[in-house]
Amino acid sequence: VFKKITDSYPDSPVNSQALLGYARSLEASLLEEYEKTLPLWKPYFPLTKFQSGTTEEVLSAFNVVINLYKHSEPAYESMLRTAVIQFYLLNDYEDARRLLEIIVKEAPLSKNSAEAYLELGNLAIIEGKLDEAEKDFSAILNLLSASEGQKNKAIYKLGKVNFYQGQFDEARMNLSKVLGNLKDNSANDAIELTLLLNPQMNDSSNLMIYAQAEFLAEQKKFDEAAASYKKLADNQQAFVLRLISAINYGEMLIAVDNYNDAVSVLESVSSEGEKNIYADKAVYLLGKIHQYGIKNNSKAEEFYQKLLADYPKSIYADDSRTQLLLLQNKPGT
């Protein structure tokens, strides 16, 4: 339909929006195709370059808008969408950064500026440049065009950057600002980190090891992160950090397809039962590993049933029930 508008009415005043709509429609199909290749059952997985014949077609469609309608909202949105594809699908950080910087420099009042700064911050974190990430996330707080949700996300990200830098007081301060609105997605993420930052619960040396492990995990350096999480998981004096680090250690092993060791780690966590607040998550991940990683459906069913029986109020109960129904209705099972 968008194509028909641009082909039949080349002088229409809605042409810039129609061309953008056409590009966004192509992009939606591309992202659908991309999503099918991702192991979304994993809590963490590497960023790998996505090979598709339609990527160039999508980038070309956005490029038409950028070139025809320079310095317009459709052009800046097309730049943002192109940068996102280059960052996540093509792993071309340099080109993604170049476009994002054009948006924030040329169009600070654009509704796309806040998202551009968010992605610049995400890029900086992946590349290990925490000072740059801090500047990018802070810039969002001064944008007139940024929504409350975008500002909350920026404050949460700032809290995480503070945490990675070992600035625990600043991290607590930023995270506490987000906790005011519990309907906001950033608030849910901030709660767990705020609990870990409680000085009565963790000493600063172990917290620093944990912060470095979290930073490595966000950079997709899973083997290095695993070593730090394991150190804490083996430390009986690390209290709550020992419990969460054991789960995170298992997640790092899953990320690098080391399913046998992941099973061993997570079975150890689940065997602690009610004594370990992450036992239900361990059982849930064991179901996922057997379903999607090891591909042993009967064993996966066992773990999902165990979760529903032992932890009926778990946040993973609904999905476990869904997965059980899928497995039980699968042809040949």
Side-chain angles (χ1 to χ4, degrees):
V1 172
F2 285 129
K3 186 114 178 58
K4 183 160 188 175
I5 293 169
T6 58
D7 287 350
S8 305
Y9 310 99
D11 300 321
S12 168
V14 300
N15 244 9
S16 62
Q17 289 297 335
L19 282 167
L20 178 60
Y22 173 65
R24 288 298 303 258
S25 303
L26 291 178
E27 180 200 29
S29 299
L30 175 69
L31 293 180
E32 209 172 65
E33 189 188 337
Y34 170 59
E35 200 170 287
K36 285 175 186 169
T37 69
L38 298 176
L40 293 176
W41 65 273
K42 294 184 179 188
Y44 293 87
F45 50 85
L47 272 182
T48 52
K49 189 171 179 178
F50 177 58
Q51 305 289 348
S52 169
T54 56
T55 309
E56 280 310 313
E57 186 186 358
V58 175
L59 293 177
S60 175
F62 280 126
N63 217 30
V64 168
V65 182
I66 293 168
N67 291 327
L68 276 180
Y69 303 98
K70 291 186 193 309
H71 310 297
S72 69
E73 275 295 290
Y76 291 123
E77 185 174 342
S78 296
M79 282 184 192
L80 177 66
R81 303 314 309 160
T82 299
V84 166
I85 291 169
Q86 287 169 333
F87 180 3
Y88 295 101
L89 277 66
L90 302 179
N91 305 155
D92 185 345
Y93 300 161
E94 203 174 307
D95 244 14
R97 183 183 290 102
R98 181 183 62 79
L99 286 171
L100 294 168
E101 284 178 347
I102 290 172
I103 298 168
V104 299
K105 283 172 186 168
E106 285 188 4
L109 297 177
S110 164
K111 63 180 183 182
N112 298 290
S113 280
E115 285 302 319
Y117 270 122
L118 275 171
E119 294 301 353
L120 278 169
N122 292 338
L123 257 173
I125 287 175
I126 285 256
E127 295 185 325
K129 300 170 182 173
L130 289 176
D131 289 344
E132 275 186 32
E134 191 172 2
K135 282 179 196 163
D136 292 325
F137 296 137
S138 297
I140 295 167
L141 306 181
N142 300 319
L143 285 181
L144 295 172
S145 57
S147 67
E148 188 188 351
Q150 288 169 325
K151 287 184 178 179
N152 275 343
K153 191 184 280 190
I155 294 167
Y156 168 66
K157 294 266 189 182
L158 271 174
K160 285 192 83 174
V161 169
N162 296 145
F163 181 57
Y164 299 152
Q165 292 168 324
Q167 298 167 348
F168 300 139
D169 289 338
E170 289 89 338
R172 267 194 295 272
M173 185 183 70
N174 275 315
L175 293 169
S176 67
K177 291 176 190 171
V178 183
L179 295 176
N181 179 7
L182 292 177
K183 289 181 182 173
D184 193 286
N185 287 335
S186 301
N188 296 326
D189 295 329
I191 289 170
E192 187 172 65
L193 193 47
T194 304
L195 291 173
L196 292 177
L197 283 163
N198 184 333
Q200 276 82 48
M201 290 175 72
N202 298 297
D203 67 78
S204 58
S205 58
N206 282 330
L207 200 54
M208 195 66 238
I209 295 169
Y210 183 79
Q212 288 165 350
E214 289 278 280
F215 183 30
L216 289 165
E218 192 154 348
Q219 289 180 279
K220 313 289 185 186
K221 295 178 178 177
F222 303 125
D223 288 322
E224 292 172 59
S228 293
Y229 284 132
K230 185 178 189 304
K231 187 176 178 182
L232 289 169
D234 293 342
N235 182 351
Q236 293 301 315
Q237 265 66 54
F239 306 115
V240 177
L241 281 180
R242 178 184 73 81
L243 304 179
I244 192 169
S245 294
I247 278 284
N248 291 350
Y249 177 40
E251 291 178 341
M252 296 303 104
L253 294 170
I254 293 169
V256 296
D257 300 340
N258 186 349
Y259 300 132
N260 291 334
D261 285 352
V263 165
S264 174
V265 169
L266 294 169
E267 282 185 340
S268 172
V269 174
S270 72
S271 69
E272 294 183 32
E274 297 290 348
K275 288 187 291 182
N276 191 322
I277 55 172
Y278 298 102
D280 63 328
K281 187 175 185 179
V283 175
Y284 176 70
L285 286 173
L286 283 164
K288 290 282 183 179
I289 292 170
H290 283 93
Q291 183 180 359
Y292 296 105
I294 298 170
K295 302 197 188 312
N296 181 338
N297 289 346
S298 60
K299 198 77 178 156
E301 280 187 48
E302 269 179 48
F303 283 112
Y304 291 136
Q305 281 164 342
K306 177 178 170 57
L307 185 133
L308 293 172
D310 296 353
Y311 309 99
K313 293 182 179 175
S314 166
I315 58 170
Y316 307 105
D318 283 349
D319 190 56
S320 294
R321 207 171 282 111
T322 302
Q323 299 307 322
L324 256 180
L325 288 169
L326 280 173
L327 289 168
Q328 287 166 351
N329 295 316
K330 205 169 183 181
T333 58

